[in-house]
Amino acid sequence: MTMHEEDLDLLLVEDDPSIGEFLQAAMDREPGYALSWETTLKEAWKAWEKRQTWEGRPFTFILLDLGLPDGDGQDLIRRLRAHGGEQSLIIVISARGNEADKVRALDNGADDYLTKPFTIGELLARLRAHLRRRSVDRSTESPHRVIGALTLDDFTHTVRKKGVPIPMTPKEYQLLHLLVMNQGRVLSHRRILHAVWGEHSGDQAHYVRLYIKRLREKIEDDPGMPQYLTTEKGVGYRLDDPEVSQ
């Protein structure tokens, strides 16, 4: 399936008319995208519920501001994720650029975070990256997952790079598998820690840093200039396919 063989419907939740009008006009010019625009949490929730009830399919993307007239966009992220909204990709677009807000949004279930001001080119690149990740998700019937020169075998828990086996400990494989399954998505330190080491692992972020370092030494051509494992400073990590341009 090519990127525009399915309807790519976006819900924008933004109370600033200048930004809303800019994004509405920009997305109207992009083939394959259809944007709906709401200015409050209440109206956004009603639009989402109507979409689920009457059309039976989710918005592909939700572009969400955090500072809204009737509350915090963080609450909408949690509510969507708790009520069957896991199929929509949530991208926060906010003037709040501090680490705490980014981490909180990602922990609540956001897939990405763009700090205002941003260009339409950057937004579209992020959308394409998430669509690529979704389009290459492997069938659960296939044990092999391929990204760039790497091949992961879910049956044997082994990794090969250009056909050459790479030794992996169980935890290293579990971490790499988590990142591959969320290709293009920023995962916070806490989400990684809970997924790999369990919800009772406490504040052990150094585990994540240590194992990311180990993975880079094993899968990167140059660990000092990683092409697969990208650091989002103060937030977490993202795995990308270096063979696919943004």
Side-chain angles (χ1 to χ4, degrees):
M1 179 180 289
T2 60
M3 189 175 73
H4 295 308
E5 287 177 357
E6 60 179 4
D7 293 332
L8 303 178
D9 297 300
L10 293 80
L11 173 62
L12 171 65
V13 190
E14 170 62 68
D15 67 320
D16 186 327
S18 62
I19 295 175
E21 290 166 5
F22 166 72
L23 289 175
Q24 183 81 72
M27 299 311 297
D28 285 348
R29 292 193 297 268
E30 291 295 320
Y33 292 94
L35 185 140
S36 302
W37 176 20
E38 303 295 346
T39 58
T40 66
L41 294 176
K42 181 180 179 180
E43 292 304 314
W45 179 253
K46 286 171 60 177
W48 183 82
E49 279 194 316
K50 179 180 178 181
R51 179 63 174 252
Q52 295 290 97
T53 302
W54 296 105
E55 298 188 35
R57 58 193 179 97
F59 288 100
T60 309
F61 291 99
I62 297 175
L63 307 179
L64 176 63
D65 188 19
L66 295 181
L68 295 161
D70 56 344
D72 193 324
Q74 300 275 11
D75 296 330
L76 182 61
I77 299 173
R78 289 194 298 269
R79 192 176 183 187
L80 287 169
R81 293 309 191 213
H83 292 82
E86 66 278 353
Q87 294 183 54
S88 296
L89 294 161
I90 300 175
I91 299 180
V92 172
I93 52 171
S94 176
R96 302 181 194 171
N98 64 77
E99 175 184 328
D101 280 313
K102 292 181 180 180
V103 170
R104 184 181 170 206
L106 294 167
D107 282 343
N108 284 335
D111 296 285
D112 210 341
Y113 197 110
L114 265 176
T115 303
K116 298 174 183 175
F118 55 84
T119 66
I120 191 63
E122 182 181 5
L123 174 61
L124 290 171
R126 297 287 184 100
L127 300 185
R128 290 193 297 269
H130 285 288
L131 289 172
R132 282 197 300 272
R133 178 185 62 79
R134 173 171 284 188
S135 69
V136 299
D137 279 347
R138 303 303 183 199
S139 166
T140 55
E141 296 178 358
S142 172
H144 298 104
R145 305 184 186 279
V146 179
I147 176 167
L150 302 176
T151 301
L152 282 71
D153 189 321
D154 288 346
F155 283 172
T156 62
H157 286 197
T158 56
V159 180
R160 292 176 178 267
K161 184 176 182 181
K162 298 179 180 178
V164 178
I166 301 176
M168 288 273 168
T169 68
K171 274 286 186 270
E172 287 169 352
Y173 185 87
Q174 190 178 354
L175 174 56
L176 181 60
H177 182 269
L178 173 70
L179 292 162
V180 168
M181 292 299 291
N182 289 277
Q183 179 188 339
R185 177 185 297 176
V186 180
L187 298 183
S188 70
H189 295 89
R190 189 169 74 176
R191 286 180 71 182
I192 294 173
L193 193 65
H194 286 184
V196 178
W197 283 272
E199 294 188 3
H200 302 292
S201 52
D203 186 15
Q204 302 292 338
H206 62 280
Y207 287 170
V208 179
R209 292 192 293 271
L210 174 62
Y211 275 79
I212 288 290
K213 181 176 183 291
R214 289 182 182 177
L215 284 181
R216 283 177 172 155
E217 290 171 349
K218 293 186 174 186
I219 70 173
E220 301 283 2
D221 291 337
D222 180 356
M225 299 185 66
Q227 300 297 306
Y228 287 97
L229 290 173
T230 301
T231 299
E232 293 287 338
K233 188 175 181 181
V235 180
Y237 301 95
R238 184 181 71 245
L239 186 136
D240 293 312
D241 186 341
E243 297 181 2
V244 179
S245 60
Q246 289 284 334

